Amino acid sequence: MNTTTSEPEGTGPSDTQRRNAVIASETTAEIPVHLLFRDDNGPLAPPPALRPAVVSRWQGTGEQPRIGPTAAPPAAAASAGSAPADPALIERPAPVLPGWTGLVAGACSLAGIGALVWGTGAVPDMVAALFRVTPPPYHGIGIGLWCLLALGVLLALFGLGGLGRGTVGHAWVLTLCGDYHGSVRRTGLVWMSPLVLRRRVDVRLRHWRSKPMPVHDAEGTALRVVVLVVWRVRDTARAVLGVEDHEAYLGEQVEAATARVFSQLPADGPSVFDGGTPVGESPPTLRDAEAVGATLTKTLAAECAAAGIEIFTAQPTALDYAPEVAEAMQLRRLAALDARHRDSVLTSVVDAVDDTVSRLTDRGLIEPDDYERKALVKDLTVAFYTGRAGGADTGNRSS
């Protein structure tokens, strides 16, 4: 007998329990958008570089994909260059006033002091006799008048002590308690605070000529070079406060930059010592003053920018071998010139002998015998070479 037990209505599992059980056991996956619109007949294309999207999901349910912020590309590394400059140390105009303001303030202060002294009768007899005046009777100076006199003296010193005369081609760098307070490039009579420390700097266009500096070329040959630099102070703050002595700094940087640039090229090319090179194929050397000067100017400008110095040109004006190698290099050059001359003479002699023998053979004046041709070639070579060498020696002696 089958007994069927029926559950009473309303005793089954609740909707909340059913939904929790289903969600707990289900797994969801993210569907990229590009797969929803893919053409099944065509070849599979690589997915585009898109952020994954979620279809039919509600925000706030915890089912959204956790997509972190896109990582920013790493910043480009700073190019290795010269000494870094202080970004906070940049020239800026200092607070100054026209000079007449200081004159007026000082004159008014002195006039006030004179009026107070006259009113109290504290005028010396010598001054009264000099100006032929009779001051009022002296009744003493109270504490209030002493304070006014002291204030007038301070105002007079403050007004007249801040006067300065600016000239063309010069500037002042002002510092207050060790801090940069600004620069003054104005000309004429100006008023600056007397509490600041003034440092005068020349901002005119100047040139600097070095002494013969020892350098080495790419082959290690010792050289002596003289460099002419045209420069000026561009940033007065960095030139005065950024380095101890900007002129000494320039000299040191010229020496360092010259040594670095001249060590990259040979002093003379192979055409000087090795018999010459084809026209238009000569390698660069230190004798190319324009190219070497351009490289030296660029290098020196980058090195001196941190000190507020602007480089216009840096040109080598003299380039010689060092005394210890000058004689040896001169002998080597003369030997190379002599070898080149001999090679040119020998080439012309061989061409002349070949042309002569070919003409004699074509006209039937000699037999086409190897022995006779060799003997004739030998005699003609000796004769032509002796004539060419003798003519060249005679021309050199006459010149």
Side-chain angles (χ1 to χ4, degrees):
M1 180 177 181
N2 297 333
T3 304
T4 304
T5 305
S6 62
E7 296 180 0
E9 294 182 2
T11 60
S14 63
D15 295 341
T16 304
Q17 294 177 355
R18 184 183 299 109
R19 285 196 300 270
N20 291 339
V22 172
I23 294 176
S25 61
E26 97 176 324
T27 58
T28 58
E30 301 170 359
I31 304 175
V33 175
H34 71 278
L35 294 180
L36 299 178
F37 305 98
R38 178 173 58 86
D39 189 3
D40 296 333
N41 297 329
L44 293 176
L50 298 175
R51 298 179 60 182
V54 179
V55 180
S56 299
R57 293 200 177 184
W58 296 92
Q59 296 183 358
T61 60
E63 298 182 1
Q64 287 80 19
R66 296 182 179 180
I67 302 175
T70 305
S79 58
S82 313
D86 186 1
L89 192 61
I90 301 177
E91 179 181 342
R92 63 178 183 271
V96 294
L97 296 175
W100 63 266
T101 57
L103 288 175
V104 171
C108 292
S109 300
L110 292 178
I113 293 173
L116 288 176
V117 172
W118 177 267
T120 58
V123 180
D125 296 336
M126 184 182 300
V127 176
L130 179 63
F131 289 96
R132 297 179 181 180
V133 294
T134 302
Y138 178 69
H139 299 291
I141 302 177
I143 187 63
L145 292 178
W146 278 116
C147 293
L148 291 177
L149 288 175
L151 180 60
V153 171
L154 289 177
L155 290 177
L157 293 177
F158 198 81
L160 299 178
L163 295 176
R165 184 173 61 90
T167 57
V168 178
H170 294 83
W172 280 303
V173 176
L174 310 182
T175 56
L176 179 62
C177 299
D179 293 334
Y180 176 58
H181 197 59
S183 300
V184 180
R185 290 179 177 259
R186 296 176 59 175
T187 58
L189 190 63
V190 296
W191 183 89
M192 297 166 282
S193 174
L195 301 179
V196 298
L197 177 62
R198 310 175 188 179
R199 298 184 184 182
R200 198 176 184 88
V201 59
D202 192 343
V203 295
R204 294 174 297 181
L205 188 67
R206 291 185 284 175
H207 71 277
W208 182 87
R209 184 185 298 272
S210 70
K211 297 179 180 180
M213 297 182 296
V215 295
H216 292 81
D217 65 352
E219 298 176 352
T221 306
L223 305 173
R224 294 293 185 271
V225 60
V226 177
V227 178
L228 178 65
V229 182
V230 180
W231 65 284
R232 72 174 178 184
V233 174
R234 181 179 182 87
D235 193 311
T236 57
R238 292 181 177 178
V240 176
L241 304 177
V243 292
E244 183 177 0
D245 186 353
H246 63 276
E247 294 187 8
Y249 180 86
L250 173 64
E252 296 295 337
Q253 292 300 328
V254 169
E255 185 175 355
T258 303
R260 184 161 64 250
V261 171
F262 276 66
S263 64
Q264 299 175 0
L265 295 175
D268 294 294
S271 60
V272 178
F273 303 111
D274 300 338
T277 55
V279 178
E281 299 181 4
S282 57
T285 64
L286 296 178
R287 302 295 178 180
D288 188 358
E290 184 176 356
V292 174
T295 305
L296 183 59
T297 301
K298 183 178 179 181
T299 304
L300 189 59
E303 295 291 341
C304 295
I309 298 175
E310 182 179 9
I311 304 296
F312 291 92
T313 59
Q315 296 292 334
T317 58
L319 178 61
D320 298 313
Y321 289 104
E324 59 270 17
V325 299
E327 184 177 358
M329 300 303 294
Q330 185 68 18
L331 294 177
R332 182 184 176 187
R333 178 175 294 184
L334 293 177
L337 292 176
D338 183 68
R340 188 186 307 176
H341 173 69
R342 291 177 181 275
D343 183 69
S344 63
V345 170
L346 183 59
T347 302
S348 61
V349 167
V350 171
D351 292 341
V353 170
D354 181 53
D355 182 65
T356 303
V357 173
S358 299
R359 289 186 178 184
L360 292 177
T361 303
D362 294 341
R363 296 180 182 182
L365 299 179
I366 59 173
E367 296 294 334
D369 182 71
D370 291 341
Y371 179 78
E372 293 183 0
R373 291 174 63 88
K374 290 180 180 180
L376 181 60
V377 167
K378 179 180 179 180
D379 294 339
L380 289 176
T381 301
V382 173
F384 286 167
Y385 189 83
T386 303
R388 298 288 178 88
D393 293 342
T394 304
N396 293 335
R397 291 171 185 171
S398 61
S399 59

PDB file of all heavy atoms in Angstrom, residues 333-351:
ATOM      1  N   ARG A 333     105.549  64.133 -41.287  1.00  0.00           N
ATOM      2  CA  ARG A 333     104.806  64.793 -42.356  1.00  0.00           C
ATOM      3  C   ARG A 333     105.677  65.004 -43.595  1.00  0.00           C
ATOM      4  O   ARG A 333     105.228  64.791 -44.727  1.00  0.00           O
ATOM      5  CB  ARG A 333     104.268  66.123 -41.855  1.00  0.00           C
ATOM      6  CG  ARG A 333     103.521  66.915 -42.907  1.00  0.00           C
ATOM      7  CD  ARG A 333     102.901  68.161 -42.339  1.00  0.00           C
ATOM      8  NE  ARG A 333     101.861  67.853 -41.377  1.00  0.00           N
ATOM      9  CZ  ARG A 333     101.100  68.768 -40.788  1.00  0.00           C
ATOM     10  NH1 ARG A 333     101.300  70.062 -41.044  1.00  0.00           N
ATOM     11  NH2 ARG A 333     100.160  68.407 -39.939  1.00  0.00           N
ATOM     12  N   LEU A 334     106.931  65.395 -43.402  1.00  0.00           N
ATOM     13  CA  LEU A 334     107.831  65.577 -44.545  1.00  0.00           C
ATOM     14  C   LEU A 334     108.086  64.251 -45.255  1.00  0.00           C
ATOM     15  O   LEU A 334     108.143  64.198 -46.493  1.00  0.00           O
ATOM     16  CB  LEU A 334     109.149  66.192 -44.074  1.00  0.00           C
ATOM     17  CG  LEU A 334     109.066  67.627 -43.561  1.00  0.00           C
ATOM     18  CD1 LEU A 334     110.422  68.091 -43.051  1.00  0.00           C
ATOM     19  CD2 LEU A 334     108.570  68.564 -44.666  1.00  0.00           C
ATOM     20  N   ALA A 335     108.242  63.179 -44.488  1.00  0.00           N
ATOM     21  CA  ALA A 335     108.442  61.870 -45.107  1.00  0.00           C
ATOM     22  C   ALA A 335     107.212  61.453 -45.904  1.00  0.00           C
ATOM     23  O   ALA A 335     107.325  60.882 -47.000  1.00  0.00           O
ATOM     24  CB  ALA A 335     108.762  60.831 -44.031  1.00  0.00           C
ATOM     25  N   ALA A 336     106.031  61.743 -45.386  1.00  0.00           N
ATOM     26  CA  ALA A 336     104.811  61.407 -46.114  1.00  0.00           C
ATOM     27  C   ALA A 336     104.700  62.220 -47.403  1.00  0.00           C
ATOM     28  O   ALA A 336     104.282  61.697 -48.445  1.00  0.00           O
ATOM     29  CB  ALA A 336     103.604  61.643 -45.224  1.00  0.00           C
ATOM     30  N   LEU A 337     105.057  63.499 -47.344  1.00  0.00           N
ATOM     31  CA  LEU A 337     105.025  64.317 -48.559  1.00  0.00           C
ATOM     32  C   LEU A 337     106.018  63.814 -49.592  1.00  0.00           C
ATOM     33  O   LEU A 337     105.721  63.769 -50.804  1.00  0.00           O
ATOM     34  CB  LEU A 337     105.316  65.780 -48.201  1.00  0.00           C
ATOM     35  CG  LEU A 337     104.246  66.503 -47.381  1.00  0.00           C
ATOM     36  CD1 LEU A 337     104.724  67.904 -47.017  1.00  0.00           C
ATOM     37  CD2 LEU A 337     102.937  66.580 -48.158  1.00  0.00           C
ATOM     38  N   ASP A 338     107.199  63.410 -49.144  1.00  0.00           N
ATOM     39  CA  ASP A 338     108.193  62.888 -50.086  1.00  0.00           C
ATOM     40  C   ASP A 338     107.723  61.580 -50.705  1.00  0.00           C
ATOM     41  O   ASP A 338     107.894  61.356 -51.919  1.00  0.00           O
ATOM     42  CB  ASP A 338     109.521  62.695 -49.345  1.00  0.00           C
ATOM     43  CG  ASP A 338     110.631  62.228 -50.277  1.00  0.00           C
ATOM     44  OD1 ASP A 338     111.036  63.034 -51.153  1.00  0.00           O
ATOM     45  OD2 ASP A 338     111.078  61.076 -50.140  1.00  0.00           O
ATOM     46  N   ALA A 339     107.125  60.709 -49.894  1.00  0.00           N
ATOM     47  CA  ALA A 339     106.615  59.451 -50.441  1.00  0.00           C
ATOM     48  C   ALA A 339     105.490  59.690 -51.436  1.00  0.00           C
ATOM     49  O   ALA A 339     105.399  59.012 -52.472  1.00  0.00           O
ATOM     50  CB  ALA A 339     106.131  58.547 -49.298  1.00  0.00           C
ATOM     51  N   ARG A 340     104.636  60.650 -51.141  1.00  0.00           N
ATOM     52  CA  ARG A 340     103.553  60.967 -52.070  1.00  0.00           C
ATOM     53  C   ARG A 340     104.104  61.521 -53.389  1.00  0.00           C
ATOM     54  O   ARG A 340     103.616  61.183 -54.466  1.00  0.00           O
ATOM     55  CB  ARG A 340     102.616  61.986 -51.432  1.00  0.00           C
ATOM     56  CG  ARG A 340     101.356  62.251 -52.234  1.00  0.00           C
ATOM     57  CD  ARG A 340     100.549  63.379 -51.625  1.00  0.00           C
ATOM     58  NE  ARG A 340     100.295  63.137 -50.210  1.00  0.00           N
ATOM     59  CZ  ARG A 340      99.678  64.016 -49.419  1.00  0.00           C
ATOM     60  NH1 ARG A 340      99.304  65.194 -49.904  1.00  0.00           N
ATOM     61  NH2 ARG A 340      99.468  63.725 -48.157  1.00  0.00           N
ATOM     62  N   HIS A 341     105.150  62.337 -53.297  1.00  0.00           N
ATOM     63  CA  HIS A 341     105.746  62.879 -54.514  1.00  0.00           C
ATOM     64  C   HIS A 341     106.389  61.772 -55.342  1.00  0.00           C
ATOM     65  O   HIS A 341     106.242  61.724 -56.573  1.00  0.00           O
ATOM     66  CB  HIS A 341     106.779  63.941 -54.138  1.00  0.00           C
ATOM     67  CG  HIS A 341     107.578  64.439 -55.292  1.00  0.00           C
ATOM     68  ND1 HIS A 341     107.040  65.208 -56.304  1.00  0.00           N
ATOM     69  CD2 HIS A 341     108.902  64.244 -55.616  1.00  0.00           C
ATOM     70  CE1 HIS A 341     107.965  65.483 -57.204  1.00  0.00           C
ATOM     71  NE2 HIS A 341     109.106  64.915 -56.799  1.00  0.00           N
ATOM     72  N   ARG A 342     107.097  60.882 -54.667  1.00  0.00           N
ATOM     73  CA  ARG A 342     107.726  59.779 -55.396  1.00  0.00           C
ATOM     74  C   ARG A 342     106.687  58.884 -56.057  1.00  0.00           C
ATOM     75  O   ARG A 342     106.881  58.398 -57.180  1.00  0.00           O
ATOM     76  CB  ARG A 342     108.595  58.962 -54.445  1.00  0.00           C
ATOM     77  CG  ARG A 342     109.847  59.705 -53.954  1.00  0.00           C
ATOM     78  CD  ARG A 342     110.618  58.845 -52.949  1.00  0.00           C
ATOM     79  NE  ARG A 342     111.794  59.550 -52.454  1.00  0.00           N
ATOM     80  CZ  ARG A 342     112.978  59.562 -53.066  1.00  0.00           C
ATOM     81  NH1 ARG A 342     113.128  58.874 -54.194  1.00  0.00           N
ATOM     82  NH2 ARG A 342     113.991  60.215 -52.556  1.00  0.00           N
ATOM     83  N   ASP A 343     105.579  58.650 -55.367  1.00  0.00           N
ATOM     84  CA  ASP A 343     104.529  57.805 -55.943  1.00  0.00           C
ATOM     85  C   ASP A 343     103.922  58.450 -57.186  1.00  0.00           C
ATOM     86  O   ASP A 343     103.671  57.765 -58.193  1.00  0.00           O
ATOM     87  CB  ASP A 343     103.451  57.562 -54.888  1.00  0.00           C
ATOM     88  CG  ASP A 343     102.364  56.643 -55.396  1.00  0.00           C
ATOM     89  OD1 ASP A 343     102.631  55.451 -55.586  1.00  0.00           O
ATOM     90  OD2 ASP A 343     101.230  57.138 -55.603  1.00  0.00           O
ATOM     91  N   SER A 344     103.699  59.762 -57.127  1.00  0.00           N
ATOM     92  CA  SER A 344     103.152  60.443 -58.305  1.00  0.00           C
ATOM     93  C   SER A 344     104.134  60.432 -59.472  1.00  0.00           C
ATOM     94  O   SER A 344     103.743  60.240 -60.636  1.00  0.00           O
ATOM     95  CB  SER A 344     102.774  61.876 -57.945  1.00  0.00           C
ATOM     96  OG  SER A 344     103.929  62.606 -57.551  1.00  0.00           O
ATOM     97  N   VAL A 345     105.426  60.609 -59.176  1.00  0.00           N
ATOM     98  CA  VAL A 345     106.447  60.579 -60.243  1.00  0.00           C
ATOM     99  C   VAL A 345     106.527  59.195 -60.867  1.00  0.00           C
ATOM    100  O   VAL A 345     106.586  59.047 -62.096  1.00  0.00           O
ATOM    101  CB  VAL A 345     107.804  61.020 -59.679  1.00  0.00           C
ATOM    102  CG1 VAL A 345     108.918  60.767 -60.693  1.00  0.00           C
ATOM    103  CG2 VAL A 345     107.777  62.493 -59.311  1.00  0.00           C
ATOM    104  N   LEU A 346     106.501  58.155 -60.011  1.00  0.00           N
ATOM    105  CA  LEU A 346     106.586  56.797 -60.533  1.00  0.00           C
ATOM    106  C   LEU A 346     105.363  56.449 -61.376  1.00  0.00           C
ATOM    107  O   LEU A 346     105.484  55.773 -62.423  1.00  0.00           O
ATOM    108  CB  LEU A 346     106.719  55.814 -59.366  1.00  0.00           C
ATOM    109  CG  LEU A 346     106.904  54.338 -59.731  1.00  0.00           C
ATOM    110  CD1 LEU A 346     108.165  54.160 -60.573  1.00  0.00           C
ATOM    111  CD2 LEU A 346     106.977  53.473 -58.487  1.00  0.00           C
ATOM    112  N   THR A 347     104.208  56.904 -60.968  1.00  0.00           N
ATOM    113  CA  THR A 347     103.001  56.640 -61.765  1.00  0.00           C
ATOM    114  C   THR A 347     103.082  57.286 -63.138  1.00  0.00           C
ATOM    115  O   THR A 347     102.746  56.660 -64.173  1.00  0.00           O
ATOM    116  CB  THR A 347     101.763  57.159 -61.009  1.00  0.00           C
ATOM    117  OG1 THR A 347     101.679  56.526 -59.731  1.00  0.00           O
ATOM    118  CG2 THR A 347     100.502  56.882 -61.792  1.00  0.00           C
ATOM    119  N   SER A 348     103.530  58.527 -63.179  1.00  0.00           N
ATOM    120  CA  SER A 348     103.652  59.198 -64.477  1.00  0.00           C
ATOM    121  C   SER A 348     104.728  58.544 -65.351  1.00  0.00           C
ATOM    122  O   SER A 348     104.571  58.447 -66.575  1.00  0.00           O
ATOM    123  CB  SER A 348     103.989  60.673 -64.259  1.00  0.00           C
ATOM    124  OG  SER A 348     105.233  60.813 -63.582  1.00  0.00           O
ATOM    125  N   VAL A 349     105.817  58.058 -64.748  1.00  0.00           N
ATOM    126  CA  VAL A 349     106.870  57.378 -65.517  1.00  0.00           C
ATOM    127  C   VAL A 349     106.352  56.075 -66.108  1.00  0.00           C
ATOM    128  O   VAL A 349     106.594  55.756 -67.283  1.00  0.00           O
ATOM    129  CB  VAL A 349     108.097  57.137 -64.618  1.00  0.00           C
ATOM    130  CG1 VAL A 349     109.070  56.166 -65.282  1.00  0.00           C
ATOM    131  CG2 VAL A 349     108.803  58.446 -64.331  1.00  0.00           C
ATOM    132  N   VAL A 350     105.619  55.301 -65.315  1.00  0.00           N
ATOM    133  CA  VAL A 350     105.086  54.027 -65.827  1.00  0.00           C
ATOM    134  C   VAL A 350     104.104  54.276 -66.967  1.00  0.00           C
ATOM    135  O   VAL A 350     104.121  53.549 -67.989  1.00  0.00           O
ATOM    136  CB  VAL A 350     104.417  53.249 -64.670  1.00  0.00           C
ATOM    137  CG1 VAL A 350     103.658  52.039 -65.217  1.00  0.00           C
ATOM    138  CG2 VAL A 350     105.459  52.795 -63.669  1.00  0.00           C
ATOM    139  N   ASP A 351     103.278  55.299 -66.855  1.00  0.00           N
ATOM    140  CA  ASP A 351     102.340  55.610 -67.933  1.00  0.00           C
ATOM    141  C   ASP A 351     103.092  56.040 -69.200  1.00  0.00           C
ATOM    142  O   ASP A 351     102.709  55.645 -70.322  1.00  0.00           O
ATOM    143  CB  ASP A 351     101.403  56.737 -67.488  1.00  0.00           C
ATOM    144  CG  ASP A 351     100.460  56.287 -66.374  1.00  0.00           C
ATOM    145  OD1 ASP A 351     100.277  55.060 -66.209  1.00  0.00           O
ATOM    146  OD2 ASP A 351      99.922  57.166 -65.666  1.00  0.00           O
TER     147      ASP A 351
END
